[in-house]
Amino acid sequence: MSADPHLVAVLALDGVVGFDLSMPCQVFGTARLPDGAYPYQVRVCGVTPSVNATAGGVGYYRIEAPNGLDGAEDADTVVVPGVTVTRRAPDAVLDLLREAAARKARIVSICTGAFVLAEAGLLSGRQATTHWKAAGELARRHPDVRVDPKPLYVGDGRLFTSAGVAAGLDLCLHLIHRDFGAAVAASAARATVMAPSRDGDQAQFIPQPPAPAASGTLAATLAWMREHAAEPLTLAGIARHANLSVRTLTRRFQEQTGTTPAAWLARERLLLARHLLETTDLPIPAVADRSGHGSAGALRAHFARELHTSPHRYRQSFRPRT
């Protein structure tokens, strides 16, 4: 390993999300080796000396970029923070990213910074993620990109994309772990008052509204299913409540909710389990029982399949213990 610090260039583009810009500076800038040395040098680089920054799209303020884009030309890692997606990145930025990829620098996007990577053609044919609210638009604009809105971050060693806000913190800590090991990453996490980073394949915790209750003939049955979601409901029992045959129930369910009775009920049970994990200290087996999963094993399997995490880790994310 070279004695020279690993150079991280963070791009300050017009419309940058202020948190996404400052966060990698903070995380990489506070990392320390066991001997006290700083393993990273961080530069903020921009097309212009100052840019408009936004706080999540609410209001603008000015941020100064002390380095031009030439400050990123020899960077080991180039970070593209989240930006306003209504504007296209300058050609000079796209050229910089293509050149960085050609010389095998590591390229990282946070949140909607993935749009810039896609505009540069770097995500073509690759899996990528971004903030779940922007994933549909990224897929629409760049159908050649395999957009996955669920993971916190994905990467192949040279190119990484992350979801929004805190997921960028997780990715930066993950990169420190890759570069300098678990101890240095843990030290950086403590310095930034963060828990150790979550795995990238953990799902974004997208707020899920209750599954819609159809306004047609199934409205009363859907309300009844939601009220009794913790009970061992059967397809035949649901059909009896709706006063329909199983075949007719299945057809009307698809017409009115866009899914099957089993899938609708599974979603309701997952929502109920998430609510119990977020708001109570019930043991995992009790959460499984009260949410209709039957057993802790079934609950863990459901969480692993849908959220790519465990009930215990999910609870820790929302109810950290002091």
Side-chain angles (χ1 to χ4, degrees), residues 48-71:
T48 56
S50 66
V51 297
N52 288 316
T54 178
V58 182
Y60 282 92
Y61 52 97
R62 299 292 291 179
I63 284 182
E64 292 189 1
N67 302 280
L69 289 184
D70 57 348

Side-chain angles (χ1 to χ4, degrees), residues 33-50:
L33 297 178
D35 64 1
Y38 289 94
Y40 296 98
Q41 177 187 353
V42 182
R43 293 177 186 164
V44 176
C45 305
V47 179
T48 56
S50 66

Side-chain angles (χ1 to χ4, degrees), residues 218 246-256 259 261:
L218 292 181
V246 168
R247 182 176 180 179
T248 302
L249 172 77
T250 302
R251 176 173 55 81
R252 291 190 181 176
F253 231 94
Q254 188 67 45
E255 292 172 351
Q256 296 182 30
T259 189

Side-chain angles (χ1 to χ4, degrees), residues 2-306:
S2 171
D4 294 332
H6 181 114
L7 177 56
V8 178
V10 183
L11 302 189
L13 308 183
D14 203 47
V16 69
V17 178
F19 177 84
D20 293 354
L21 172 67
S22 61
M23 179 269 297
C25 300
Q26 177 80 10
V27 176
F28 289 116
T30 56
R32 300 285 287 272
L33 297 178
D35 64 1
Y38 289 94
Y40 296 98
Q41 177 187 353
V42 182
R43 293 177 186 164
V44 176
C45 305
V47 179
T48 56
S50 66
V51 297
N52 288 316
T54 178
V58 182
Y60 282 92
Y61 52 97
R62 299 292 291 179
I63 284 182
E64 292 189 1
N67 302 280
L69 289 184
D70 57 348
E73 290 177 354
D74 58 345
D76 301 295
T77 295
V78 179
V79 180
V80 183
V83 293
T84 304
V85 300
T86 55
R87 63 191 73 186
R88 187 177 185 275
D91 289 338
V93 171
L94 303 181
D95 290 341
L96 170 70
L97 293 173
R98 295 181 189 116
E99 291 164 3
R103 61 180 174 82
K104 301 190 183 305
R106 183 167 62 196
I107 301 175
V108 176
S109 71
I110 297 171
C111 194
T112 51
F115 282 74
V116 181
L117 270 58
E119 288 169 10
L122 302 186
L123 299 183
S124 181
R126 294 177 181 265
Q127 182 189 17
T129 193
T130 187
H131 193 292
W132 59 269
K133 284 186 175 180
E137 179 64 13
L138 180 62
R140 186 190 67 80
R141 292 192 198 179
H142 303 280
D144 57 327
V145 179
R146 293 184 287 114
V147 179
D148 187 347
K150 290 186 177 181
L152 296 177
Y153 54 85
V154 296
D156 60 5
R158 286 294 178 186
L159 196 149
F160 292 84
T161 57
S162 76
V165 196
L169 281 162
D170 290 307
L171 176 53
C172 289
L173 291 172
H174 171 72
L175 296 177
I176 295 173
H177 189 167
R178 286 175 60 96
D179 293 340
F180 298 103
V184 177
S187 175
R190 286 193 297 271
T192 52
V193 199
M194 272 284 294
S197 66
R198 297 170 288 177
D199 294 335
D201 62 355
Q202 182 170 315
Q204 298 185 47
F205 296 135
I206 303 171
Q208 294 286 351
S215 59
T217 58
L218 292 181
T221 296
L222 294 179
W224 173 80
M225 289 174 66
R226 183 173 290 132
E227 182 179 352
H228 296 273
E231 300 173 17
L233 302 182
T234 65
L235 187 59
I238 296 169
R240 282 196 300 273
H241 184 276
N243 198 26
L244 299 169
S245 68
V246 168
R247 182 176 180 179
T248 302
L249 172 77
T250 302
R251 176 173 55 81
R252 291 190 181 176
F253 231 94
Q254 188 67 45
E255 292 172 351
Q256 296 182 30
T257 71
T259 189
T260 66
W264 194 94
L265 184 59
R267 176 180 171 177
E268 283 299 309
R269 286 171 170 166
L270 183 62
L271 287 170
L272 179 55
R274 289 172 63 173
H275 175 74
L276 292 171
L277 290 169
E278 293 171 18
T279 60
T280 76
D281 290 316
L282 287 171
I284 300 300
V287 171
D289 181 65
R290 294 196 186 189
S291 61
H293 286 87
S295 70
L299 179 65
R300 283 191 289 268
H302 198 178
F303 266 68
R305 183 173 62 252
E306 298 298 327

